[in-house]
Amino acid sequence: MRVFVAFGPVFFALCLCACQTLGGLALFPGERATLYYNGTIYLDPAEPPVEALVVRGKRVVGAGSERELRKGLRQGYRTVDLRGGVAVPGLTDAHGHIAGLGEALESVSLQGAASYEEVIERVREEAQRHAPGTWITGRGWDQSLWEVADFPHHEALSKAVPDHPVLIRRVDGHAALANARALEIAGLLFAGPLPEIEGGRIEVDGRGVPTGLLIDTAIGRVGRHVPAADRTAIRRRILRAQEALLELGLVCVHDMGIDPATAEILEELDEKGRLDLRVVAYLWGNAGLDAETLARYPRPEDASPESRLRIVGAKLMLDGALGSRGAALLEDYTDAPGERGLLRLQYAAFVSRLRTLSRAGLQPATHAIGDRANRMLLDAYAELSRSESDFADFRPRIEHAQVVAPGDWSRFGRLGVVASMQPTHATSDMRWAEARLGPERLKGAYAWRRMVADPGTLAFGSDFPVESPDPLAGLYAARTRMDREGRPSGGWLADQTLSGVEALAAFTRGPAFAAHEEQGRGRLAVGYFADLTVLSVDPILCDPGDLLEASVLMTVIDGEVAFERASPN
Ligand SMILES: [Zn+2]
């Protein structure tokens, strides 16, 4: 087997000049080498695998046959037994919410509840553990799973839980249900003139009384009364989420929309060496960022060579979600004539935010779900590309790109927009997406292939805690477009299915490209950082169904083992 010594990345070629090579290995004086062996190692999804890898410090210095590599190594090197597992370039989730996952892990999980009664029961059980008056929050209910798939009315919940204010978010986070106690605190319990809310809606029943259902920004009317998490709680949630994410094999997360307090806590954890996961963060930018924040970020990449945190951009949000009919559409919702969703920023405000952010050096990442929001995003990105000479160099991102009008499909490539999409959104939403959109619009829905010619520039994620952060579930959805039970057979809108190589690239090379890191991450060539995920199956060649049963054996970040599953024997 050939030993690969690549001189691809420019920074590494420079560095190599100062070192010697021996037996195909780049040697760095002073640092002990580690040999990874007894496994199958993909340096790149599209290349044939090798059998061993040598890491020195944070970087890969050799790859190829075990025998050759051992020959080239001096004595005293360490070894890591891959136990027959399959190592791939470290998996990255290009769109997640770390503190949000920690919060979800701490609050009542309503995920998978098969009826409104089950939701109520889970909330009631939690409320019993807390003194009356304590806020009970939860997340993850999804009425599309219920036999009666209507949005719930608070009455049954309020009857079961009368003494605790309750606010429980729908699975997509874009709708929430409040009980009577919570509505009372927010002054929304009874009929009467309701406030006009930009970018949101308070649902009312036939009597004009709020049903407890709040859409998008209206959630804040009740949410603002929930005691805010203090720094200790945020720190605890981040660490709790980090543990779960490393165990799932993720080496990096693009954290989409952090507030200044969370940014500070991430920085503090990073400085103390407690951030094991790599985090590429985007500041929440819809409300506009103040001058002080704009001056402070983007965080210089060379702040510390040990740093696991980069704050590189800003997240903007143009519309809501499809499930709660908050996504901004060009035409009416098929199942709700007269409704076209909600825009959370108007065009002029969006363009002005983009201009401010890009002049401050922050990469824009904009949430757009409906075809109207997507068109607005493309128009604004095009305008900025004309007026700001280096705008395209940012690789401006679109988050979700869920429903795109046919005339707009090719504009993403032309404008150099990075598509950050979530395969599990497709397989969760497929049950009701056609009802919302009708058959014609469906052709441009969750259409990874239509907008992205090269899957290496497609960045996949999960939008956790909206979906599970498990990247194996994402790989499965990308390859099959089926739910975990294998429905629908052959896959939903199956022409958009990806191959094993393409799906893996979208969880490795794609996110690296989206974060301008493709020179050192997203692959495992010599000179690249040693970020590895070691799996019990071959994610490229295995039957997709095996991904759902597979386990993560090891997560390695910058050459350090960040998670290792205990050996079964
Ligand atoms: Zn999100």
Side-chain angles (χ1 to χ4, degrees):
M1 193 178 281
R2 206 162 76 85
V3 176
F4 293 97
V5 181
F7 293 90
V10 178
F11 62 85
F12 191 70
L14 292 172
C15 167
L16 265 186
C17 299
C19 321
Q20 312 159 265
T21 64
L22 179 71
L25 290 175
L27 299 181
F28 291 83
E31 294 218 61
R32 227 166 131 202
T34 303
L35 175 79
Y36 289 79
Y37 73 105
N38 188 24
T40 302
I41 302 168
Y42 284 97
L43 304 181
D44 183 292
E47 291 169 15
V50 298
E51 55 181 44
L53 193 74
V54 179
V55 173
R56 206 183 284 271
K58 292 168 185 269
R59 292 179 194 267
V60 176
V61 294
S65 89
E66 184 187 340
R67 216 168 64 91
E68 291 289 316
L69 289 170
R70 281 196 193 265
K71 249 194 331 196
L73 281 164
R74 291 177 188 166
Q75 289 191 336
Y77 60 89
R78 279 178 298 231
T79 57
V80 172
D81 183 350
L82 295 174
R83 295 186 265 155
V86 180
V88 298
L91 299 174
T92 293
D93 190 315
H95 184 129
H97 304 276
I98 299 172
L101 176 63
E103 183 184 359
L105 290 171
E106 286 184 350
S107 62
V108 190
S109 169
L110 305 169
Q111 216 108 29
S115 64
Y116 184 30
E117 290 68 39
E118 190 178 336
V119 167
I120 293 171
E121 189 47 32
R122 290 191 201 177
V123 174
R124 202 182 57 81
E125 272 175 26
E126 179 69 16
Q128 278 174 346
R129 284 185 224 126
H130 302 274
T134 312
W135 278 85
I136 306 297
T137 56
R139 178 162 194 149
W141 59 267
D142 181 355
Q143 86 291 348
S144 79
L145 299 173
W146 308 342
E147 204 168 312
V148 183
D150 294 339
F151 280 114
H153 193 291
H154 76 82
E155 272 170 355
L157 174 66
S158 301
K159 223 169 118 191
V161 188
D163 302 326
H164 301 71
V166 174
L167 183 65
I168 50 175
R169 285 178 185 256
R170 192 180 181 279
V171 63
D172 62 12
H174 288 273
L177 183 69
N179 73 345
R181 190 79 190 81
L183 291 169
E184 190 185 354
I185 290 169
L188 296 173
L189 186 55
F190 303 107
L194 288 168
E196 265 299 309
I197 294 171
E198 210 192 322
R201 196 166 64 233
I202 298 168
E203 296 287 352
V204 292
D205 61 19
R207 301 163 294 169
V209 178
T211 65
L213 191 73
L214 308 161
I215 308 292
D216 284 308
T217 55
I219 300 169
R221 291 288 164 144
V222 174
R224 68 171 72 134
H225 299 280
V226 180
D230 59 13
R231 292 176 64 91
T232 316
I234 297 173
R235 192 181 300 110
R236 187 184 64 233
R237 288 172 181 175
I238 290 171
L239 291 173
R240 188 162 173 179
Q242 165 172 272
E243 202 184 312
L245 295 165
L246 293 172
E247 204 174 317
L248 290 168
L250 289 163
V251 300
C252 177
V253 165
H254 297 181
D255 201 343
M256 273 300 151
I258 58 170
D259 59 22
T262 305
E264 266 180 43
I265 293 165
L266 282 168
E267 286 178 319
E268 179 198 304
L269 289 170
D270 184 35
E271 273 152 32
K272 289 188 175 150
R274 295 191 67 192
L275 208 56
D276 296 325
L277 183 74
R278 290 187 59 250
V279 178
V280 176
Y282 294 75
L283 300 157
W284 173 243
N286 254 43
L289 293 170
D290 58 37
E292 197 190 326
T293 309
L294 287 169
R296 217 166 145 223
Y297 300 108
R299 193 168 183 271
E301 285 171 43
D302 55 356
S304 149
E306 302 308 315
S307 184
R308 293 269 163 99
L309 174 69
R310 295 174 61 220
I311 297 176
V312 300
K315 160 90 175 287
L316 296 164
M317 192 174 257
L318 283 185
D319 64 347
L322 205 58
S324 44
R325 297 193 191 90
L329 298 180
L330 292 163
E331 304 288 338
D332 292 359
Y333 276 85
T334 303
D335 57 1
E339 278 186 41
R340 292 190 177 185
L342 303 159
L343 277 175
R344 294 182 61 164
L345 279 177
Q346 299 305 314
Y347 184 77
F350 179 44
V351 168
S352 134
R353 295 272 190 288
L354 286 176
R355 190 163 282 128
T356 309
L357 296 172
S358 64
R359 285 185 181 166
L362 288 162
Q363 179 191 21
T366 309
H367 162 122
I369 290 198
D371 51 11
R372 182 157 54 119
N374 275 284
R375 181 164 295 169
M376 188 166 125
L377 170 139
L378 290 163
D379 290 345
Y381 280 5
E383 185 176 335
L384 267 285
S385 295
R386 285 191 299 270
S387 67
E388 312 280 308
S389 56
D390 50 1
F391 185 74
D393 298 343
F394 280 111
R395 299 180 185 163
R397 300 173 53 139
I398 173 161
E399 304 305 315
H400 311 308
Q402 256 172 35
V403 187
V404 179
D408 293 330
W409 293 343
S410 62
R411 296 176 71 197
F412 287 92
R414 274 210 309 278
L415 287 166
V417 177
V418 172
S420 162
M421 302 177 81
Q422 298 75 31
T424 43
H425 276 343
T427 51
S428 292
D429 297 0
M430 63 187 178
R431 290 189 306 273
W432 45 259
E434 185 163 0
R436 296 276 189 283
L437 297 169
E440 263 317 296
R441 279 186 292 202
L442 212 55
K443 291 180 189 150
Y446 312 86
W448 314 317
R449 277 196 182 285
R450 280 193 231 288
M451 292 175 306
V452 186
D454 173 9
T457 65
L458 174 65
F460 270 170
S462 67
D463 201 4
F464 66 76
V466 175
E467 305 281 350
S468 155
D470 182 1
L472 297 179
L475 287 168
Y476 170 81
R479 286 179 62 187
T480 63
R481 293 182 68 106
M482 297 192 290
D483 68 15
R484 301 178 76 93
E485 285 71 44
R487 290 172 305 210
S489 153
W492 182 61
L493 309 171
D495 60 339
Q496 299 300 304
T497 305
L498 298 186
S499 71
V501 168
E502 291 167 335
L504 186 58
F507 276 101
T508 53
R509 276 172 42 203
F513 181 81
H516 295 261
E517 294 182 331
E518 77 279 9
Q519 293 288 305
R521 303 196 190 262
R523 315 177 57 218
L524 281 171
V526 167
Y528 276 62
F529 289 97
D531 292 349
L532 285 78
T533 304
V534 186
L535 304 169
S536 62
V537 298
D538 183 325
I540 295 173
L541 300 177
C542 75
D543 183 85
D546 294 345
L547 290 162
L548 298 176
E549 309 300 324
S551 53
V552 173
L553 305 180
M554 200 182 285
T555 308
V556 178
I557 301 171
D558 282 348
E560 284 174 32
V561 177
F563 164 76
E564 187 172 10
R565 188 167 303 282
S567 167
N569 41 31

